[in-house]
Amino acid sequence: MDRILLDSGTAYSKLYHLEEGRYEILPNRTLKSRMSRYHVVAATGHNASRFSDRLLNELLALAYGGLELVEEGDFVLVDCGARDIKMVRVEERRVQEMNWNTECGAFCGQTVE
């Protein structure tokens, strides 16, 4: 069984195959039909509870991922999803601010500036 980390969004899921070190993006309807192939080690995202009992808050996952990928300096991460926008601000390798909007803004012209 393939061990994965999962970010399951509204329409698509992002998988990280632990043994292979490979990323994959699948529509949720495809992921659902393939779940017997996977052991989800941990999950985050809007639909994560459909696929795993071990869940991580989306803002924490964004912050931990950013700290892992960005090696130095201050930075801001913005995750524009289908249902919301999340933001994490890091200064001197410490998270200073985390936030997200509480509902979808697509119908009122929400954008990132």
Side-chain angles (χ1 to χ4, degrees), residues 47-111:
N47 284 307
S49 62
R50 293 175 57 193
F51 303 111
S52 179
D53 292 330
R54 185 161 183 216
L55 306 175
L56 180 64
N57 174 282
E58 293 177 64
L59 284 173
L60 291 175
L62 185 62
Y64 292 149
L67 287 166
E68 182 69 26
L69 294 172
V70 180
E71 294 180 7
E72 58 186 61
D74 302 341
F75 59 92
V76 174
L77 293 173
V78 178
D79 177 355
C80 299
R83 295 176 45 89
D84 54 31
I85 297 176
K86 292 176 268 312
M87 181 276 301
V88 173
R89 182 172 54 87
V90 174
E91 293 177 2
E92 298 181 10
R93 307 297 300 162
R94 297 186 67 104
V95 174
Q96 298 299 314
E97 182 180 3
M98 301 170 126
N99 210 340
W100 68 17
N101 62 328
T102 57
E103 57 192 57
C104 176
F107 292 114
C108 61
Q110 179 175 317
T111 61

Side-chain angles (χ1 to χ4, degrees), residues 4-58:
I4 63 169
L5 298 176
L6 178 67
D7 178 355
S8 186
T10 304
Y12 288 88
S13 287
K14 288 68 73 181
L15 292 72
Y16 180 70
H17 299 264
L18 290 166
E19 281 78 21
E20 301 171 30
R22 176 177 61 91
Y23 296 95
E24 182 177 16
I25 300 173
L26 295 173
N28 283 339
R29 63 183 174 276
T30 302
L31 176 65
K32 188 175 177 181
S33 69
R34 294 184 185 179
M35 279 311 294
S36 62
R37 302 178 190 180
Y38 304 125
H39 169 71
V40 180
V41 175
T44 191
H46 175 69
N47 284 307
S49 62
R50 293 175 57 193
F51 303 111
S52 179
D53 292 330
R54 185 161 183 216
L55 306 175
L56 180 64
N57 174 282
E58 293 177 64

